[in-house]
Amino acid sequence: MTRHLLRTAVATALALGALGPAGPALASPSSDGVHTVRVPGGDPHERSLAPRTTEPFSMLGITWDDPDAALDGTAQVRTRSRESGAWSPWRALDTDVRTPETSPDRDGASVRGGTQPLWAGPSDGVQVRVSGSRLPAGLRVELVDPEGGAEAVHTAVVEPDLVEPDVPPAVVGPAAGAPSAERPAMTPRSAWGADESLVKDPPSYTADTQALFVHHTAGTNDYTCEESASIVRGVFLYHVRSNGWNDIGYHFLVDKCGTVFEGRAGGVDKPVLGAHTYGFNTATSSVSVLGDYTTATTNTAVRESVAKVAAWKLGLYGLDPTGTTVLTAGADNGKYKLGQKVTLHRVSGHRDGYPTACPGQNLYDDLPEIRTLAGNAGKPTEPAPEPTGPGTEAVLGR
């Protein structure tokens, strides 16, 4: 039996078996990898998905129909380990996410609102509860299998569903006297497994890069660095297939071992328009650290890698990463008004531009150190002083 047939047979057998409190799943698995489970009821304040067996996944999130709607409430999930069969504790999803204000990431027909995705590790079961003042229509649980190829997003529906290429400008080269920070080593898209066939539109560009926003992916810190490529691939699939964006939103990602990953396509040395900070995507870059830095603290490897990305990226435009800049808000985002002039650090946290806890208090508290590290990255190393004292001339061969 092939691996695909075995996987299908196992998934079918599980779906037809006794599944605990939920009873038999009302499932209609299809050949395109989408697994749909509908829950009856129309309470505008609460939705739930009883515990049930699903197709394999390692990352999940919740999306809804209206890309402009916010989930004003809480969304919690439990997952079942494929290895042990044990259910996880309830975990909250980060709902502080907004659809980008411009570009194909906003205008596509399949664009949806959504939470941040959560890395759960290899799983085969899920339970969900969502509550709020008025929940958006069309809530869906998105189950992402980063190892499943192009058809790696499986959908579980919590609420029944209701209802030309940009031409890049001339890239601004390094300015006179720009810092000489080296480009950091990074894992390219081909190495972490980006499925380029899913990216339908060419990248969009802005005139230059004036600042860099630091994020965290939230979720969990309980991953191995060998899993990091799968997590990045999962974020890519969630942004593209679940949110309906054109590509992964972040320009760069960094894991807890300090490995830097290339994010959005278009050229790491070019001013690619991202989808990361609602209201300030234009003329900015972004780096997201894998993990939740509300609960965990960073380490030297993370801080140094973020600083290296900032020093190199901003150095391409002759900018001091320890300085500030004035940006114009591109949307009413709950913190600033459309058109408002805002003074921000060249290296800012996500919360500086948008009302969110991201990048977590611990990582946010590290930003002053990261700015200092970035500022020093482009400076020449001071030569060691020549030895002095008796015998110096003999040592120097004079």
Side-chain angles (χ1 to χ4, degrees):
M1 181 178 289
T2 68
R3 181 179 175 184
H4 174 73
L5 290 176
L6 177 61
R7 177 173 164 179
T8 302
V10 171
T12 302
L14 288 171
L16 294 175
L19 302 178
L26 301 176
S28 54
S30 60
S31 60
D32 65 0
V34 176
H35 180 62
T36 300
V37 181
R38 293 181 179 273
V39 177
D43 190 327
H45 308 296
E46 293 187 5
R47 292 284 188 276
S48 64
L49 191 66
R52 63 195 59 244
T53 291
T54 67
E55 292 187 7
F57 69 95
S58 294
M59 179 175 283
L60 75 164
I62 294 176
T63 66
W64 48 88
D65 290 345
D66 184 355
D68 293 318
L71 198 162
D72 184 15
T74 61
Q76 296 178 308
V77 296
R78 295 175 67 218
T79 57
R80 188 177 63 194
S81 168
R82 287 213 309 263
E83 181 178 347
S84 68
W87 284 89
S88 73
W90 284 104
R91 289 180 283 187
L93 298 177
D94 184 352
T95 61
D96 289 334
V97 184
R98 293 292 298 275
T99 302
E101 67 270 22
T102 57
S103 80
D105 302 299
R106 179 174 187 81
D107 301 331
S110 60
V111 175
R112 298 173 60 80
T115 68
Q116 285 278 23
L118 170 74
W119 178 257
S123 306
D124 62 4
V126 68
Q127 182 179 3
V128 177
R129 59 190 186 194
V130 185
S131 62
S133 56
R134 184 171 182 81
L135 297 176
L139 291 175
R140 293 197 322 215
V141 182
E142 308 284 346
L143 306 176
V144 183
D145 178 11
E147 313 309 323
E151 299 299 338
V153 176
H154 317 297
T155 302
V157 178
V158 177
E159 175 188 1
D161 287 336
L162 306 175
V163 297
E164 170 158 336
D166 294 330
V167 179
V171 176
V172 179
S180 57
E182 295 183 357
R183 169 176 162 171
M186 65 182 70
T187 303
R189 290 167 65 90
S190 59
W192 57 256
D195 183 351
E196 303 296 359
S197 71
L198 298 179
V199 181
K200 303 304 182 184
D201 293 304
S204 301
Y205 295 86
T206 61
D208 59 8
T209 299
Q210 290 293 313
L212 179 140
F213 283 100
V214 178
H215 302 251
H216 69 170
T217 59
T220 181
N221 301 86
D222 186 20
Y223 66 89
T224 67
C225 292
E226 289 71 26
E227 294 176 305
S228 296
S230 291
I231 296 174
V232 174
R233 192 162 58 252
V235 174
F236 166 79
L237 289 168
Y238 185 82
H239 283 179
V240 174
R241 298 264 306 195
S242 302
N243 291 131
W245 299 353
N246 190 51
D247 197 352
I248 191 170
Y250 307 118
H251 296 88
F252 306 94
L253 300 96
V254 172
D255 72 8
K256 63 185 179 183
C257 291
T259 303
V260 180
F261 295 85
E262 175 188 8
R264 177 159 286 219
V268 292
D269 59 344
K270 295 179 174 60
V272 178
L273 180 64
H276 54 90
T277 304
Y278 181 62
F280 294 97
N281 286 305
T282 299
T284 63
S285 189
S286 58
V287 57
S288 188
V289 182
L290 306 185
D292 183 350
Y293 290 94
T294 300
T295 57
T297 57
T298 67
N299 56 36
T300 300
V302 167
R303 295 190 294 274
E304 289 183 346
S305 289
V306 173
K308 288 175 182 177
V309 170
W312 172 72
K313 185 67 178 181
L314 294 173
L316 291 175
Y317 303 92
L319 301 176
D320 179 359
T322 67
T324 61
T325 185
V326 177
L327 299 178
T328 302
D332 292 336
N333 67 3
K335 189 178 180 77
Y336 300 109
K337 296 294 185 182
L338 172 65
Q340 184 175 347
K341 303 291 185 182
V342 183
T343 299
L344 295 167
H345 289 286
R346 295 280 186 191
V347 179
S348 284
H350 185 189
R351 65 172 65 177
D352 292 324
Y354 179 77
T356 175
C358 181
Q361 190 62 49
N362 293 319
L363 179 51
Y364 189 78
D365 288 344
D366 288 332
L367 291 183
E369 179 186 349
I370 288 171
R371 293 183 195 109
T372 299
L373 289 170
N376 291 331
K379 295 179 179 178
T381 304
E382 292 290 334
E386 292 187 359
T388 60
T392 297
E393 292 186 358
V395 172
L396 296 177
R398 293 173 183 161

